[in-house]
Amino acid sequence: MLGSLHHSSSSSDTDNNNNNNDAARNSTSAAAAAGIATAAQAPARDLVLACADLLHRGDLPAARRAAGVLLSAGPPRSEADAADRLVYHFARALALRVDAKAAAAVGRVAAPALALAPRPASSGAYLAFNQIAPFLRFAHLTANQAILDAVEGARRVHILDLDAAHGVQWPPLLQAIAERADPAIGPPEVRITGAGADRDTLLRTGSRLRAFARSIHLPFHFTPLLLSCASTHHVSGASSTGAATTASGAATTLELHPDETLAVNCVMFLHKLGGQDELAAFFKWVKAMAPAVLTIAEREPTGGGFDRIDELPRRVAVAMDHYSAVFEALEATVPPGSRERLAVEQEVLGREIEAALAPSGGRWWRGLERWAAAARAAGFTARPLSAFAVSQARLLLRLHYPSEGYLVQEARGACFLGWQTRPLLSVSSWQ
């Protein structure tokens, strides 16, 4: 059974108005800085947490030295220990934050640069991640089955994918829709609105999906919806008549048709939203469109979720707990020396870690209970996943990721994927 392991952070809350606590904090910072020279003898995880603590306290030189100790050996080789590879990526993410904060302090860059938005992974690394680890395939397969169940019998289907990326989720669903169509009336018409911030990626995704749909004789349309960032308040609005388009061919408003059955898909999207007010506004926005189903897949923290983790040391500890399980899973299931694994860790997981530790990364670790409460407050109710959806998820693991470490569990109206005792991902559907 998947459980929640509780981990303590390396630092505690401080009262900025208490002089004694200020003195203790300064003493701790000085002691930590003085110990950097011999830090290589300390456990690497402890040094990562010490670096985060120094950065949180504003001691940028000491934080940079601590990160430098961890980075001194250079990028890890593919045969390096999983813990060493994990530490490298956390140290690099912290070093980026230190450098950005130091540059802003001397006025070399504007404050928005502190967002540290990582570049999206290349299509090759993204597809490799989809092959060597079950997380994306589990999310896509389970969400697709929920959508397939919800749109059964519809003649016009509209899927709004709020983080379309490379579109790898949709060919299996399009194939399933085409195969189960009544031969007497033919398959339904399917339209996907794929949202994202990268115009070129969306256009390439649309071209691939259109070509696939033609190959299976499925009536299909794809509309790229260009967002200035991954947040719904940058969408101009929803239109029932048509979509405004830019010269690049990407739409800037959402087009809705009353004769379509709508499914809204949020795979790895909710953590990109801001505070609770923005999360609540998002669910109200989706609810107003009256979708037949809303599918959600998100990372799960160990030890329970958090509305927001502003204290960097605590956030680093939570993120390390999560990604240590991910790295351990890859270590156990992917052959040693795998170049694909190294590319995935550098381009996908490494950039996720950078984003999780960035100033806006405190919202990553809400967990099912917190965002589900916001969904219910907006009028959504859980739509239980079918037994077939859950059995498909278990079959996926047995056939493609045959390790006893991966576990699937149904709980709290969702389907969880975990490694050993740690839940890592949840998928649920709502109506």
Side-chain angles (χ1 to χ4, degrees):
M1 298 290 285
L2 300 181
S4 295
L5 304 182
H6 296 275
H7 300 268
S8 61
S9 173
S10 64
S11 65
S12 59
D13 295 343
T14 57
D15 184 350
N16 291 331
N17 296 320
N18 187 297
N19 291 332
N20 291 333
N21 285 348
D22 284 344
R25 182 174 67 249
N26 294 335
S27 174
T28 301
S29 179
I36 295 299
T38 57
Q41 300 175 1
R45 177 188 170 93
D46 292 347
L47 186 53
V48 169
L49 295 174
C51 178
D53 192 57
L54 290 165
L55 177 56
H56 181 66
R57 296 171 186 275
D59 193 340
L60 301 185
R64 193 64 183 85
R65 288 195 296 273
V69 170
L70 293 166
L71 296 172
S72 60
R77 297 179 181 274
S78 58
E79 62 271 14
D81 181 79
D84 293 336
R85 300 195 308 274
L86 178 74
V87 163
Y88 171 82
H89 289 294
F90 271 86
R92 186 175 183 277
L94 288 170
L96 288 173
R97 277 207 65 172
V98 171
D99 292 346
K101 196 169 184 178
V106 297
R108 290 203 301 268
V109 294
L114 288 178
L116 295 176
R119 302 185 314 278
S122 68
S123 59
Y126 186 88
L127 293 174
F129 186 41
N130 199 44
Q131 291 297 318
I132 69 174
F135 306 110
L136 289 175
R137 294 178 76 177
F138 169 83
H140 293 165
L141 180 71
T142 310
N144 280 355
Q145 187 59 48
I147 293 172
L148 196 63
D149 293 340
V151 303
E152 185 174 6
R155 295 304 302 159
R156 299 189 69 194
V157 176
H158 180 197
I159 299 169
L160 171 58
D161 184 0
L162 286 166
D163 191 10
H166 302 285
V168 297
Q169 177 173 353
W170 303 121
L173 179 64
L174 298 180
Q175 181 81 47
I177 290 174
E179 288 179 349
R180 76 176 196 172
D182 184 344
I185 59 175
E189 178 181 318
V190 178
R191 182 164 67 95
I192 293 179
T193 297
D198 189 300
R199 177 188 66 88
D200 292 337
T201 297
L202 291 176
L203 294 178
R204 287 194 296 269
T205 294
S207 295
R208 286 193 298 270
L209 291 176
R210 280 189 289 268
F212 179 79
R214 281 195 301 270
S215 73
I216 59 173
H217 309 290
L218 180 72
F220 178 77
H221 303 277
F222 181 89
T223 302
L225 178 63
L226 192 62
L227 305 183
S228 59
C229 76
S231 176
T232 56
H233 67 259
H234 288 85
V235 179
S236 300
S239 169
S240 61
T241 57
T245 58
T246 66
S248 66
T252 56
T253 57
L254 176 62
E255 180 183 356
L256 299 176
H257 298 161
D259 61 341
E260 292 177 328
T261 299
L262 176 65
V264 178
N265 185 67
C266 300
V267 171
M268 304 304 187
F269 175 78
L270 291 186
H271 67 275
K272 299 178 182 180
L273 299 176
Q276 290 298 109
D277 289 344
E278 187 173 344
L279 186 65
F282 167 76
F283 281 119
K284 290 178 181 177
W285 176 71
V286 175
K287 183 64 176 175
M289 293 187 283
V293 65
L294 166 65
T295 51
I296 297 174
E298 276 296 332
R299 298 172 189 86
E300 286 293 317
T302 57
F306 310 88
D307 288 328
R308 183 179 179 90
I309 309 177
D310 289 314
E311 288 191 357
L312 185 61
R314 187 182 181 198
R315 194 196 314 169
V316 169
V318 170
M320 286 196 84
D321 288 338
H322 177 88
Y323 282 102
S324 65
V326 175
F327 274 64
E328 287 170 14
L330 292 181
E331 179 89 350
T333 58
V334 180
S338 167
R339 293 182 180 179
E340 289 80 7
R341 184 186 67 191
L342 195 61
V344 164
E345 291 176 354
Q346 290 174 343
E347 290 197 45
V348 180
L349 301 178
R351 292 176 187 177
E352 284 185 8
I353 290 168
E354 290 174 24
L357 269 55
S360 61
R363 59 203 182 199
W364 271 48
W365 307 108
R366 287 189 179 102
L368 173 66
E369 294 299 334
R370 281 164 174 75
W371 59 252
R376 292 188 184 97
F380 282 99
T381 57
R383 192 177 194 276
L385 296 166
S386 67
F388 182 67
V390 178
S391 66
Q392 273 196 132
R394 292 194 168 106
L395 182 62
L396 170 73
L397 295 183
R398 286 198 299 270
L399 292 180
H400 300 286
Y401 309 96
S403 170
E404 295 181 357
Y406 287 119
L407 295 173
V408 173
Q409 179 188 0
E410 292 180 84
R412 294 173 284 164
C415 190
F416 291 81
L417 173 63
W419 176 255
Q420 305 293 0
T421 61
R422 289 168 285 187
L424 299 177
L425 181 73
S426 68
V427 182
S428 60
S429 65
W430 301 79
Q431 61 187 9

